[in-house]
């Protein structure tokens, strides 16, 4: 089982930046999908950005050009650099991970992930 711990959430003004971190430990898959998801009050959880262990990435249209997902393999830490934040980015942000075959295309679909962190809150004010 994989343990995931997010950090880095904060309250910022529109146009600001934040970097979220997700520290992974435990039975880390040799090949995997990891990603960031978010859930605003009254809304369903949605995918933000996902990354395969081979380096390929996939972003939601709403964050393309503003957010960047990356991973430090030495420290087993996943990051989400968020620039140009908007009030509509306000949500609880979750990190997730799942084993995946080489060549698999990671999808930003919450039901494809079984390992989740507790979340970190991002609030963007106008």
């Amino acid at each position: 089982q994989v343990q995931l711990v997010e950090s880095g959430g904060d309250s910022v003004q529109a146009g600001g930046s934040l970097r979220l971190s997700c520290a992974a430990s435990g039975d880390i898959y040799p090949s995997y999908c990891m990603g960031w998801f978010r859930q605003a009050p009254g809304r369903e959880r949605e995918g933000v950005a996902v990354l395969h262990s081979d380096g390929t990435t996939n972003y939601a249209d709403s964050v393309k050009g503003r957010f960047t997902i990356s991973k430090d393999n030495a420290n087993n830490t996943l990051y989400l650099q968020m620039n140009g934040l908007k009030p509509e980015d306000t949500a609880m942000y979750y990190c997730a991970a799942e084993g995946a075959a080489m060549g698999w295309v990671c999808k930003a679909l919450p039901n494809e992930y079984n390992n989740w962190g507790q979340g970190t809150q991002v609030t963007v004010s106008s």
Side-chain angles (χ1 to χ4, degrees):
Q1 191 172 2
V2 179
Q3 289 79 48
L4 303 170
V5 179
E6 304 96 333
S7 61
D10 205 344
S11 296
V12 297
Q13 291 193 329
S17 298
L18 284 174
R19 188 176 79 157
L20 305 184
S21 300
C22 171
S25 61
D27 296 331
I28 297 170
Y29 305 103
S31 177
Y32 55 81
C33 292
M34 289 188 74
W36 290 96
F37 298 78
R38 66 187 181 186
Q39 188 167 17
R43 301 190 66 175
E44 292 189 355
R45 192 169 296 189
E46 63 176 1
V48 175
V50 294
L51 173 150
H52 193 283
S53 49
D54 65 7
T56 56
T57 58
N58 189 11
Y59 293 89
D61 288 342
S62 59
V63 306
K64 283 181 181 176
R66 299 189 299 124
F67 291 9
T68 303
I69 189 172
S70 62
K71 190 170 183 288
D72 181 343
N73 291 322
N75 294 313
N76 289 321
T77 301
L78 184 75
Y79 298 101
L80 184 69
Q81 178 66 44
M82 304 187 294
N83 299 326
L85 282 161
K86 304 175 180 179
E88 52 262 44
D89 294 319
T90 295
M92 185 71 79
Y93 282 70
Y94 298 92
C95 173
E98 189 56 65
M102 291 299 293
W104 179 258
V105 177
C106 298
K107 302 177 185 64
L109 298 174
N111 60 3
E112 294 204 354
Y113 297 79
N114 290 308
N115 301 284
W116 291 87
Q118 301 273 13
T120 187
Q121 178 68 37
V122 172
T123 302
V124 185
S125 57
S126 57

